[in-house]
Amino acid sequence: ASNLYTTAFPAVIHNAREGDIFIFEAGVNDYYQPNPTVGGSANRDNMKIYASRIAKEAKEAGLNTILVNPNVTASPNQFGETMLFGQIMIDTADEQNVQSIDLTKRTYDLFMKLYNGDLTKVKQNFGVIKDNTHTSYLGAMKYASIIAGELYRLGYTDLINTEFEYSKTDKDG
């Protein structure tokens, strides 16, 4: 969040028009931020500060702001309904009175439904690449479809093409 606040976010604000939808996801890199002066709870505090600033400034710019926590990863020590600093995004959205999408919970539920949480199958079939976090094109498309569905649920019904669909048969059929 702190890195995006100082790099990409100023361009977002500069180029945005009132009424645009601004979707901001964070949590994994904040947790793993390799900064020797910021560690442990300091990383958590740092993320909270910058996620709050981003939400507040985007809202003040007239943007429809939606905070998103990270997709669940295929790493055994992070696989669960909550992970890393994801709850910070949900809490910040509540505090800043903006909308949120719990992508962690939605992707966890998906992996449990499809593969009963078998991370080997998640990696093989869903396209999670070797770092256990980032996905293949298939994974990115699925996450995008989850976000689109959540946008529709949040009331952005005129923006979502409900006629579009894609499918992919995994190795388990």
Side-chain angles (χ1 to χ4, degrees), residues 61-159:
L63 305 181
N64 296 311
T65 303
I66 303 168
L67 301 186
V68 181
N69 58 6
N71 56 275
V72 73
T73 71
S75 179
N77 63 340
Q78 299 168 15
F79 185 76
E81 292 180 89
T82 61
M83 63 175 256
L84 305 178
F85 290 171
Q87 191 60 41
I88 292 173
M89 296 301 278
I90 304 301
D91 294 345
T92 301
D94 289 344
E95 292 164 11
Q96 294 296 324
N97 196 29
V98 299
Q99 295 175 312
S100 65
I101 296 173
D102 191 347
L103 187 59
T104 304
K105 173 86 168 93
R106 297 276 292 144
T107 53
Y108 173 80
D109 290 347
L110 172 70
F111 290 153
M112 290 302 291
K113 178 182 174 186
L114 291 177
Y115 309 115
N116 199 30
D118 182 334
L119 297 183
T120 300
K121 287 186 177 190
V122 170
K123 290 177 191 181
Q124 290 171 344
N125 295 319
F126 197 73
V128 176
I129 61 174
K130 59 186 166 185
D131 69 357
N132 292 327
T133 301
H134 297 91
T135 65
S136 66
Y137 181 75
L138 169 65
M141 288 292 288
K142 186 59 184 172
Y143 293 165
S145 74
I146 291 171
I147 296 294
E150 290 296 297
L151 287 171
Y152 192 89
R153 184 187 62 77
L154 290 172
Y156 299 99
T157 55
D158 58 334
L159 301 175

